Amino acid sequence: MSALKLHGIVPPVVTPLTPDYQVDEVSLRKVIRHLIDNGVHGLFLLGSTSEVVFLNAKQRADAIRIALDEANGAVPAVCGVMDPTTDRVIENARQAKELGVDGLVVTSQFYPRTSQNETIVHFSMIREAVDLPIVAYDIPVCTQLKLSRETLMSMYEQKLICGLKDSSGDDGNMRMVMKDFEDKPDFSILTGSETTVDYALLGGAHGNVPGLGNVDPAGYVRLYEAAQRGDWDAARAEQERLIRVFQIVFQGVPHTSPNASGVGGFKTAMHLMGLISHRHMSRPNQLIPDAGVEKIRQILTETGLLH
Amino acid sequence: MSALKLHGIVPPVVTPLTPDYQVDEVSLRKVIRHLIDNGVHGLFLLGSTSEVVFLNAKQRADAIRIALDEANGAVPAVCGVMDPTTDRVIENARQAKELGVDGLVVTSQFYPRTSQNETIVHFSMIREAVDLPIVAYDIPVCTQLKLSRETLMSMYEQKLICGLKDSSGDDGNMRMVMKDFEDKPDFSILTGSETTVDYALLGGAHGNVPGLGNVDPAGYVRLYEAAQRGDWDAARAEQERLIRVFQIVFQGVPHTSPNASGVGGFKTAMHLMGLISHRHMSRPNQLIPDAGVEKIRQILTETGLLH
Amino acid sequence: MSALKLHGIVPPVVTPLTPDYQVDEVSLRKVIRHLIDNGVHGLFLLGSTSEVVFLNAKQRADAIRIALDEANGAVPAVCGVMDPTTDRVIENARQAKELGVDGLVVTSQFYPRTSQNETIVHFSMIREAVDLPIVAYDIPVCTQLKLSRETLMSMYEQKLICGLKDSSGDDGNMRMVMKDFEDKPDFSILTGSETTVDYALLGGAHGNVPGLGNVDPAGYVRLYEAAQRGDWDAARAEQERLIRVFQIVFQGVPHTSPNASGVGGFKTAMHLMGLISHRHMSRPNQLIPDAGVEKIRQILTETGLLH
Amino acid sequence: MSALKLHGIVPPVVTPLTPDYQVDEVSLRKVIRHLIDNGVHGLFLLGSTSEVVFLNAKQRADAIRIALDEANGAVPAVCGVMDPTTDRVIENARQAKELGVDGLVVTSQFYPRTSQNETIVHFSMIREAVDLPIVAYDIPVCTQLKLSRETLMSMYEQKLICGLKDSSGDDGNMRMVMKDFEDKPDFSILTGSETTVDYALLGGAHGNVPGLGNVDPAGYVRLYEAAQRGDWDAARAEQERLIRVFQIVFQGVPHTSPNASGVGGFKTAMHLMGLISHRHMSRPNQLIPDAGVEKIRQILTETGLLH
């Protein structure tokens, strides 16, 4: 496996959509520029925040092609290949490789009831089929399976994975994973949290994949840089401001689903900030209602992101 | 919505595979003949037991085309269109309609965290896009969302669904759903259970979608016919024999996953009985180990299915 | 272990309370007479429906003493001994034995995270300490642990248990347990369901522990007797009427908790029917609001229980 | 409510037992001295780690009396009053108050299915009955109910609670709770984690209730003091050493339950270190097997706690 060592702020790039639900090229280029100009260290294309499982092969290809073209190699770009089962993930992975991504981000299977051992087989088949570095993605709220400490170490030792994106919300277990891997310098661990990034960096995480980084990449970069220089007071202050911004994800429910409230919150904020032309998500996600939009506008104003 | 009122035994048809993981046409035709010749009342193509989420568009099309051709209209054939999100389900549904199925079987979304209300929107968009009757499929163990009584009634009243396949395992709730719909003669309710079919029929269910019906369709047809004529002693006796057969689904774990143990158990039995050429499932499902195969052979012998 | 083979309708007796939250002797005697006069086959004192974990040792003793005195040996009486851990259960069990109950009903531990193996040890210690027959009580919604088929069989073979009350709601698994025990005539299996009792009896269950049996014991006795004589049409018709009555348990939420809505529904109905003097539950359960009371009155009237 | 503002290291004191399962006074006094001499800032008597729900009223009274006597007012002592329901909690609370504790630690109800609103009523009844400050204890793994942000704020505003012990493992939500309460200087927030204490302190938590603090109070005090002076490198280094020690809790499973593995790990370590005379827990918890004891000895030796 060619080397890939992610670090720093690697946002899961939002996928802006046109009114007819295709990838909005103008907006996506603007988002990529916004992220790179604000100093992010990598791009995670087609993550959960990118509505990946809502997109078909063409839409996924469009999103990858446009993002890579706009990024032009400024930072490494990894790509989610989420689908329920192994060979369908491999189809996605082959397309992503052909389009030039630097690595894959892979979850366990979902919909079928799977197991830790089967997950290792799943990763090994993907690894065998497509010659790209793989970051394991632990997101049990979507997949129903938590990648165990033993599974992660076994996959590392079999050279199946080069890193972990932990979106499990279980910071205590992630801390122990970081200890398990402390003498494996070629393995990178990133937290998917938006609200405990200073924690993870204090604990030795190499980086962060914050959905909210689409809205405020500069904030997350400042947080990361403060942590890098050991200025934990500054890191915490930045994190606390970002927690205030993060409240934008709670303005849709109960009108919408948790998914539409979260990603919809990001898109609504980016639309208000002039970053994307439309704030709607893929079908059937419903728009955040007007009261929620106003609350998001207020949060952005109070936290200095909207003037 | 054109009328579709399913009843009786409607097995979720196993998808036999060739050594290179394509649809095994010869075996699939044999399975369809086996089912129809033994008196099943309908076919459920591309259910969870059919490994639907493991199959790509071409494989799904092959399975539908071959099955419909072999069935030749002898019984109605509905088709699962499972994928994580609405527009991808619609793509599957369009293909299925074009190939000539009589109805669709639709779950809630999965992977994204969804809600009851969003699920109603999801169904309404599919209904709008593809003019085919829709059976709601409640399988929370795979989707993480249980379709509530209120959601089912709302979807019926909006003319979105014409039936329910209940694979939730919650027979008490299903019983109340049957009461909720007792004066809706155009709505059909089928249980996805293998082991409480006599129960469901006693409670007024119109039919059954048993994965084990691939192995022993005649048994389930006898069970259904006994229930139809009110001979509950005969129905129970048949059910009890089928419960003994059903133990074939527990012979893989812990070696395999729950999914590979269950569907793998069916395929192993069908292979032993000479119905399909190969017993493997789609990747990454592992084969049931030899000891499990022997146990399955023993169960089939003891229950009169293998001589 | 002295023999105890429960069968038939064994309601979990509601515990009526005085305004100062003590056992209401007059009402409890009335309830016991109501049950026995209507033909129940046993009494389950201090079940979940009896608010057992809300009651201290004195209240539990009062409830047992009054109930046994009023029943006067007309039917066997078993007693729940629920508390979080082994030795506290044993204290409850000793008191219950001293007061003269015929058997104990025992759950796994709760609050501490336990396991199947530890549960077997838990039962064996109780069995060792108190010489009374034990019925295992499977209620994972309260305890977080489902008693597995293997655990039940192991406990039976070690002579720790003589029966099962299954309140798991998993009728498919319970069906397989009934098959597992089909050649053990000294083991009795009762369902805790209110809505699938005809199912369970068809499947071979020996009896039923219905909370709703406090409200309508005659209905459940008719159901049981119909099943005994193989008249499944009559059993189903009675069950369907009882399902309509059962809707009284849904009239409290969201105002109250699920527990207060369920047991509160029973108590409200019994109060409206003149069986108990007060309808409140132990603290902190809130009363079902007026609109719910009216709905309960309407349900009772429509189902012939109130005139 | 009289003021109580907990801070610093407040270990949940292990309850050493004699061979006949009574409170081992000599050992408990030794433990209390060990904690106070090593600088802890408070004592949490009768927490989950203290096996509280395994102890009857007399055992609980013994544990409180001995601990308070030995502590002699050196640090504040709060007391868990865990039992399934409100009035039984109040009985425990009255005894604890009479014995002289400084505050109560209260969970939601468990075993009955409860709700957020009912939990607020539960707390208000306890608050009304016993005049002692109350710390809310969020431990959904035991109670099945997570205290929501809204519930916590509502209870604070009604002057029902003066603090939170968060053992939910959801550090992201706890972080938002800390932001919610940032302008409430009379409310104290403590984490129940052993492995992310530096995180919580960085985020503004006032203290920590570490079960492992029984084994290594000096380590947690050093961690807290490093955080207090803003030396996050030192805090992290201490935390990382403590994570290595924490692996003692995984040496029992699968032989024992998760509870017996965790608390049993602490007791085994304390026995090896000469702090308590016996390492067994209350029944039915099984001893950690010899191989686990050896592993614990090795961990203690490698981390400098055993020589």
Side-chain angles (χ1 to χ4, degrees):
Chain A
M1 167 157 34
S2 51
L4 173 72
K5 181 84 192 283
L6 292 178
H7 76 281
I9 304 303
V10 186
V13 182
V14 156
T15 306
L17 298 174
T18 62
D20 61 343
Y21 299 94
Q22 297 308 306
V23 178
D24 175 349
E25 176 161 356
V26 173
S27 293
L28 179 52
R29 287 187 182 274
K30 222 158 143 182
V31 171
I32 297 290
R33 284 260 53 85
H34 168 65
L35 296 176
I36 293 177
D37 290 353
N38 279 291
V40 304
H41 307 84
L43 298 170
F44 173 21
L45 308 177
L46 299 182
S48 306
T49 299
S50 318
E51 305 174 47
V52 58
V53 296
F54 293 88
L55 306 178
N56 63 22
K58 182 195 174 306
Q59 292 165 316
R60 295 190 192 199
D62 288 347
I64 298 171
R65 194 181 298 113
I66 295 164
L68 292 184
D69 183 66
E70 187 65 32
N72 198 23
V75 293
V78 294
C79 183
V81 287
M82 272 68 88
D83 254 320
T85 51
T86 307
D87 280 311
R88 299 180 67 197
V89 169
I90 289 174
E91 288 184 32
N92 298 334
R94 286 195 171 123
Q95 171 174 280
K97 178 174 164 64
E98 200 163 297
L99 290 165
V101 303
D102 299 303
L104 305 172
V105 186
V106 174
T107 69
S108 72
Q109 294 190 112
F110 49 92
Y111 190 86
R113 287 178 295 156
T114 185
S115 65
Q116 298 288 337
N117 282 343
E118 192 174 84
T119 296
I120 297 175
V121 177
H122 169 70
F123 273 81
S124 71
M125 287 174 168
I126 299 165
R127 183 75 198 88
E128 173 80 17
V130 184
D131 186 25
L132 273 180
I134 292 178
V135 175
Y137 186 2
D138 189 32
I139 186 163
V141 74
C142 292
T143 63
Q144 302 199 59
L145 186 95
K146 173 148 187 68
L147 303 176
S148 72
R149 289 165 73 184
E150 294 73 19
T151 292
L152 289 170
M153 186 54 74
S154 167
M155 295 204 293
Y156 169 79
E157 287 175 348
Q158 295 177 54
K159 299 191 191 311
L160 303 178
I161 58 173
C162 68
L164 167 68
K165 181 197 168 189
D166 189 321
S167 294
S168 71
D170 186 344
D171 287 354
N173 188 75
M174 180 180 160
R175 187 73 178 269
M176 293 194 289
V177 171
M178 290 195 279
K179 288 297 292 174
D180 293 341
F181 281 91
E182 68 186 338
D183 62 346
K184 319 286 188 202
D186 55 340
F187 193 81
S188 62
I189 299 178
L190 296 91
T191 176
S193 172
E194 274 94 359
T195 57
T196 58
V197 182
D198 53 348
Y199 289 3
L201 295 171
L202 177 64
H206 306 94
N208 175 221
V209 185
L212 189 63
N214 286 281
V215 176
D216 190 6
Y220 280 99
V221 169
R222 281 193 300 270
L223 197 174
Y224 178 71
E225 290 176 347
Q228 286 302 101
R229 64 177 186 268
D231 184 350
W232 297 105
D233 286 341
R236 170 180 45 202
E238 195 64 50
Q239 179 65 85
E240 294 194 352
R241 196 185 58 80
L242 289 163
I243 288 173
R244 287 162 63 203
V245 183
F246 187 66
Q247 305 310 306
I248 65 175
V249 308
F250 301 115
Q251 308 309 322
V253 167
H255 181 81
T256 69
S257 66
N259 180 57
S261 181
V263 179
F266 298 150
K267 282 195 156 182
T268 298
M270 295 171 83
H271 179 63
L272 291 172
M273 293 164 68
L275 287 166
I276 62 176
S277 299
H278 307 282
R279 69 184 177 95
H280 61 279
M281 298 177 61
S282 300
R283 304 200 310 167
N285 293 287
Q286 301 295 290
L287 285 179
I288 290 174
D290 290 350
V293 175
E294 280 320 297
K295 186 75 178 128
I296 291 172
R297 186 195 304 276
Q298 180 190 330
I299 291 168
L300 294 173
T301 305
E302 287 172 5
T303 52
L305 292 169
L306 204 63
H307 307 283
Chain B
M1 168 157 35
S2 50
L4 174 73
K5 182 83 195 282
L6 292 178
H7 76 281
I9 303 302
V10 186
V13 183
V14 156
T15 306
L17 298 174
T18 61
D20 61 344
Y21 299 95
Q22 297 309 305
V23 178
D24 174 349
E25 176 160 356
V26 173
S27 294
L28 179 53
R29 288 186 181 275
K30 221 159 147 184
V31 171
I32 297 290
R33 284 260 55 84
H34 168 65
L35 297 176
I36 292 177
D37 290 351
N38 279 291
V40 303
H41 307 84
L43 299 170
F44 173 21
L45 309 177
L46 299 182
S48 306
T49 300
S50 319
E51 306 174 46
V52 57
V53 297
F54 291 88
L55 305 178
N56 63 21
K58 182 194 176 303
Q59 292 165 316
R60 295 190 192 199
D62 288 347
I64 299 171
R65 192 180 301 112
I66 294 164
L68 292 184
D69 183 68
E70 186 66 31
N72 198 22
V75 292
V78 293
C79 181
V81 287
M82 273 66 89
D83 253 321
T85 52
T86 307
D87 281 311
R88 301 180 67 196
V89 169
I90 289 175
E91 288 185 32
N92 298 335
R94 287 194 171 123
Q95 171 175 281
K97 178 174 163 64
E98 200 163 297
L99 291 165
V101 303
D102 298 303
L104 304 172
V105 186
V106 174
T107 68
S108 72
Q109 295 191 111
F110 51 91
Y111 189 87
R113 287 177 296 155
T114 186
S115 66
Q116 298 287 335
N117 283 343
E118 193 174 83
T119 296
I120 297 175
V121 178
H122 170 71
F123 272 81
S124 71
M125 286 175 168
I126 298 164
R127 183 76 197 86
E128 173 79 17
V130 184
D131 186 26
L132 273 181
I134 292 178
V135 176
Y137 185 2
D138 190 31
I139 185 163
V141 74
C142 292
T143 65
Q144 304 200 56
L145 187 96
K146 171 149 187 68
L147 302 176
S148 73
R149 289 166 72 184
E150 294 74 19
T151 292
L152 289 169
M153 187 54 74
S154 168
M155 294 203 296
Y156 170 79
E157 287 174 347
Q158 295 178 53
K159 301 192 191 308
L160 303 179
I161 58 173
C162 67
L164 167 68
K165 180 197 169 191
D166 190 323
S167 295
S168 70
D170 186 344
D171 285 355
N173 187 75
M174 182 180 159
R175 188 72 178 270
M176 293 195 288
V177 171
M178 290 195 280
K179 289 297 292 174
D180 294 341
F181 281 91
E182 68 186 337
D183 62 347
K184 320 285 188 203
D186 54 340
F187 192 81
S188 61
I189 299 179
L190 298 90
T191 176
S193 173
E194 272 95 359
T195 56
T196 60
V197 182
D198 52 348
Y199 289 2
L201 295 171
L202 176 65
H206 306 93
N208 175 221
V209 185
L212 189 63
N214 285 281
V215 176
D216 190 5
Y220 281 99
V221 169
R222 283 193 300 268
L223 196 173
Y224 178 73
E225 291 175 348
Q228 286 302 102
R229 66 177 186 268
D231 184 349
W232 297 105
D233 286 343
R236 172 182 42 206
E238 194 64 51
Q239 178 66 85
E240 294 194 351
R241 195 186 58 82
L242 288 163
I243 288 172
R244 288 162 61 203
V245 184
F246 188 65
Q247 306 311 306
I248 64 174
V249 307
F250 301 115
Q251 309 310 323
V253 168
H255 181 81
T256 70
S257 65
N259 181 57
S261 181
V263 179
F266 299 150
K267 283 194 153 179
T268 299
M270 295 171 82
H271 178 64
L272 291 173
M273 292 163 70
L275 287 166
I276 61 176
S277 299
H278 308 283
R279 65 184 179 95
H280 62 280
M281 298 177 61
S282 300
R283 305 200 309 164
N285 293 287
Q286 300 296 291
L287 286 178
I288 290 173
D290 289 350
V293 175
E294 278 322 294
K295 186 77 178 127
I296 290 171
R297 186 193 306 274
Q298 180 190 334
I299 291 168
L300 294 174
T301 305
E302 289 171 3
T303 53
L305 293 169
L306 204 62
H307 308 280
Chain C
M1 173 157 32
S2 52
L4 173 74
K5 180 84 193 283
L6 292 178
H7 76 281
I9 303 303
V10 186
V13 182
V14 156
T15 307
L17 298 174
T18 62
D20 61 343
Y21 299 96
Q22 297 308 306
V23 178
D24 175 348
E25 176 161 356
V26 173
S27 294
L28 180 51
R29 287 187 181 274
K30 220 157 148 185
V31 171
I32 297 290
R33 285 258 55 84
H34 168 65
L35 297 175
I36 292 176
D37 290 351
N38 279 290
V40 304
H41 307 82
L43 298 171
F44 173 20
L45 308 177
L46 300 182
S48 306
T49 298
S50 319
E51 308 174 45
V52 58
V53 296
F54 292 89
L55 305 178
N56 62 23
K58 180 195 175 306
Q59 293 165 316
R60 295 190 192 198
D62 288 347
I64 298 171
R65 193 180 301 114
I66 296 164
L68 292 184
D69 182 67
E70 186 66 31
N72 198 21
V75 293
V78 293
C79 182
V81 286
M82 273 67 89
D83 253 321
T85 51
T86 306
D87 281 310
R88 298 182 67 198
V89 169
I90 290 175
E91 288 185 31
N92 298 334
R94 287 196 172 124
Q95 170 174 281
K97 178 175 165 62
E98 199 162 301
L99 291 165
V101 304
D102 298 304
L104 304 172
V105 186
V106 174
T107 69
S108 72
Q109 295 192 112
F110 50 91
Y111 190 87
R113 288 177 295 155
T114 185
S115 66
Q116 298 288 335
N117 283 342
E118 193 175 81
T119 296
I120 297 175
V121 177
H122 168 70
F123 273 81
S124 70
M125 287 175 168
I126 299 165
R127 183 77 197 85
E128 172 80 17
V130 184
D131 186 26
L132 274 180
I134 292 178
V135 176
Y137 186 1
D138 190 31
I139 185 162
V141 75
C142 291
T143 63
Q144 303 199 59
L145 187 96
K146 174 153 185 63
L147 302 177
S148 73
R149 288 166 74 184
E150 293 74 19
T151 292
L152 289 169
M153 187 53 75
S154 167
M155 295 202 296
Y156 169 80
E157 288 174 346
Q158 295 177 55
K159 301 191 191 309
L160 304 179
I161 59 173
C162 66
L164 167 68
K165 179 195 170 192
D166 189 323
S167 294
S168 71
D170 186 344
D171 286 355
N173 187 76
M174 181 180 159
R175 188 72 177 271
M176 292 195 289
V177 172
M178 291 193 282
K179 289 296 291 173
D180 294 341
F181 281 91
E182 67 186 339
D183 60 348
K184 320 285 187 203
D186 55 342
F187 192 81
S188 63
I189 299 180
L190 297 92
T191 176
S193 174
E194 273 95 359
T195 57
T196 60
V197 182
D198 53 347
Y199 288 4
L201 295 172
L202 177 64
H206 307 94
N208 174 219
V209 184
L212 189 62
N214 286 282
V215 176
D216 190 6
Y220 279 99
V221 169
R222 284 193 299 271
L223 198 173
Y224 178 72
E225 290 175 349
Q228 286 302 102
R229 65 178 185 266
D231 185 349
W232 296 105
D233 286 341
R236 171 182 44 205
E238 194 63 52
Q239 178 68 84
E240 293 194 352
R241 195 185 59 80
L242 289 164
I243 289 173
R244 287 162 63 204
V245 184
F246 188 64
Q247 305 311 305
I248 63 174
V249 308
F250 300 116
Q251 308 310 322
V253 168
H255 181 83
T256 70
S257 66
N259 180 57
S261 182
V263 179
F266 298 151
K267 282 196 154 179
T268 298
M270 294 171 83
H271 178 64
L272 291 172
M273 294 164 69
L275 287 166
I276 60 176
S277 300
H278 307 282
R279 68 184 178 94
H280 63 278
M281 299 176 62
S282 300
R283 305 199 311 166
N285 292 288
Q286 300 296 289
L287 285 178
I288 290 174
D290 289 349
V293 175
E294 279 321 295
K295 188 74 178 128
I296 290 170
R297 186 193 305 276
Q298 181 190 330
I299 291 168
L300 294 174
T301 306
E302 289 172 4
T303 52
L305 293 170
L306 204 62
H307 307 283
Chain D
M1 167 159 33
S2 50
L4 174 73
K5 182 82 194 286
L6 292 177
H7 76 281
I9 303 304
V10 186
V13 182
V14 156
T15 306
L17 298 174
T18 61
D20 61 344
Y21 298 96
Q22 298 307 306
V23 177
D24 175 348
E25 177 162 354
V26 173
S27 292
L28 179 51
R29 289 187 180 273
K30 218 158 149 186
V31 171
I32 297 291
R33 283 260 55 84
H34 168 63
L35 297 176
I36 292 177
D37 291 350
N38 278 291
V40 303
H41 306 83
L43 298 171
F44 173 21
L45 309 177
L46 300 182
S48 307
T49 299
S50 318
E51 306 174 47
V52 58
V53 296
F54 292 89
L55 306 179
N56 62 21
K58 181 194 176 303
Q59 292 165 315
R60 293 190 194 200
D62 288 346
I64 298 172
R65 192 180 301 113
I66 295 164
L68 291 184
D69 182 67
E70 185 67 29
N72 197 22
V75 294
V78 293
C79 181
V81 287
M82 272 67 88
D83 252 320
T85 51
T86 307
D87 281 310
R88 299 181 68 197
V89 168
I90 289 175
E91 288 185 31
N92 298 335
R94 286 195 172 125
Q95 170 174 280
K97 179 176 162 62
E98 200 163 298
L99 292 166
V101 303
D102 298 303
L104 305 172
V105 186
V106 174
T107 69
S108 72
Q109 295 190 112
F110 50 92
Y111 190 87
R113 287 177 296 154
T114 186
S115 66
Q116 297 288 335
N117 284 341
E118 192 172 83
T119 296
I120 297 175
V121 178
H122 169 70
F123 273 81
S124 70
M125 287 174 168
I126 299 165
R127 183 76 196 86
E128 173 78 18
V130 184
D131 187 28
L132 272 182
I134 293 178
V135 175
Y137 185 3
D138 190 31
I139 186 162
V141 74
C142 292
T143 64
Q144 302 201 57
L145 186 94
K146 173 150 185 65
L147 302 176
S148 74
R149 288 166 73 183
E150 294 74 19
T151 292
L152 289 170
M153 186 54 73
S154 168
M155 295 204 293
Y156 170 80
E157 288 174 347
Q158 295 179 53
K159 300 193 191 308
L160 304 178
I161 58 173
C162 67
L164 167 68
K165 181 198 169 188
D166 190 322
S167 294
S168 71
D170 185 344
D171 286 354
N173 187 76
M174 182 181 160
R175 188 72 178 269
M176 293 195 289
V177 171
M178 290 196 278
K179 289 297 292 175
D180 293 342
F181 280 91
E182 67 185 337
D183 61 347
K184 319 286 188 204
D186 55 340
F187 192 82
S188 62
I189 299 178
L190 297 91
T191 176
S193 172
E194 272 95 1
T195 57
T196 60
V197 182
D198 53 347
Y199 289 3
L201 295 172
L202 177 65
H206 305 94
N208 175 219
V209 184
L212 189 62
N214 286 283
V215 176
D216 191 5
Y220 280 100
V221 169
R222 281 194 301 269
L223 197 174
Y224 178 71
E225 290 176 348
Q228 286 302 101
R229 64 177 187 267
D231 184 350
W232 297 105
D233 285 343
R236 171 182 42 207
E238 194 65 49
Q239 178 67 83
E240 295 194 350
R241 195 185 58 82
L242 289 162
I243 289 172
R244 287 162 62 204
V245 183
F246 187 66
Q247 306 311 307
I248 63 174
V249 308
F250 301 116
Q251 308 311 323
V253 168
H255 180 81
T256 70
S257 66
N259 180 58
S261 181
V263 179
F266 298 151
K267 282 195 155 178
T268 300
M270 294 170 82
H271 178 63
L272 291 172
M273 293 163 69
L275 288 166
I276 61 177
S277 299
H278 307 282
R279 67 185 179 94
H280 62 280
M281 298 178 62
S282 299
R283 304 200 310 167
N285 292 287
Q286 300 296 290
L287 285 180
I288 291 175
D290 289 349
V293 175
E294 280 321 295
K295 186 75 177 129
I296 290 171
R297 187 195 303 277
Q298 179 190 334
I299 291 169
L300 294 174
T301 305
E302 288 171 3
T303 52
L305 293 169
L306 204 63
H307 305 283

